[in-house]
Amino acid sequence: MNKVAVVYWSGTGNTAAMAQAVAEGANAALLEAAAFTAADLGNYDAVAFGCPAMGAEQLEESEFEPMFAGLEGSLGGKKIALFGSYGWGSGEWMEQWAARCKEDGAVLYDESGLIVNEAPDDEALGRCRDLGRALAAW
């Protein structure tokens, strides 16, 4: 079993609900983005990052983006998964985020990420728990 961290930011609670389900599936530490640093990366075999789409389909700018940008030099070879919720658009933010992670050398569990429109329903929360279990076993 891998030691997994679930690092997230949530404004409305939708991504927080997803993060909780991923953490349940992985039996993982649940950490808010503001509390996670590059120094923390080495403590985990895999990390699931969760952030909703904001504005023009981008990562949240005040807490999540600065935290994630600070990790980018340390993502090479790291096993990661991406998830988040959105309320409009097509999920372009997730495609851009996944491409950015690949450029940083991260090993993505699923290049399309796990996205949910608005609040996650029971089926979506089940997919989140499945993602957590998969990360723990990966």
Side-chain angles (χ1 to χ4, degrees):
M1 288 291 267
N2 286 317
K3 185 174 180 184
V4 178
V6 178
V7 180
Y8 75 99
W9 184 92
S10 186
T12 63
N14 294 342
T15 300
M18 294 176 72
Q20 180 64 46
V22 173
E24 287 171 12
N27 193 24
L30 185 61
L31 305 164
E32 291 190 16
F36 197 77
T37 67
D40 297 320
L41 259 180
N43 297 328
Y44 300 96
D45 301 310
V47 181
F49 291 102
C51 186
M54 304 292 288
E57 290 209 59
Q58 59 197 30
L59 298 175
E60 189 276 330
E61 294 179 308
S62 65
E63 289 183 33
F64 195 89
E65 175 60 39
M67 177 278 303
F68 196 78
L71 300 177
E72 286 191 279
S74 306
L75 291 178
K78 196 70 181 175
K79 295 178 181 179
I80 66 171
L82 307 176
F83 66 92
S85 62
Y86 67 105
W88 60 91
S90 63
E92 183 179 333
W93 106 100
M94 185 60 72
E95 294 167 12
Q96 292 172 348
W97 190 14
R100 182 176 165 187
C101 292
K102 284 178 60 178
E103 289 170 11
D104 294 332
V107 180
L108 286 173
Y109 173 74
D110 178 350
E111 291 184 21
S112 59
L114 175 57
I115 62 174
V116 172
N117 189 285
E118 301 295 346
D121 59 12
D122 288 343
E123 186 270 334
L125 292 173
R127 288 189 292 141
C128 291
R129 282 188 283 279
D130 290 345
L131 174 62
R133 282 190 284 277
L135 284 178
W138 183 28

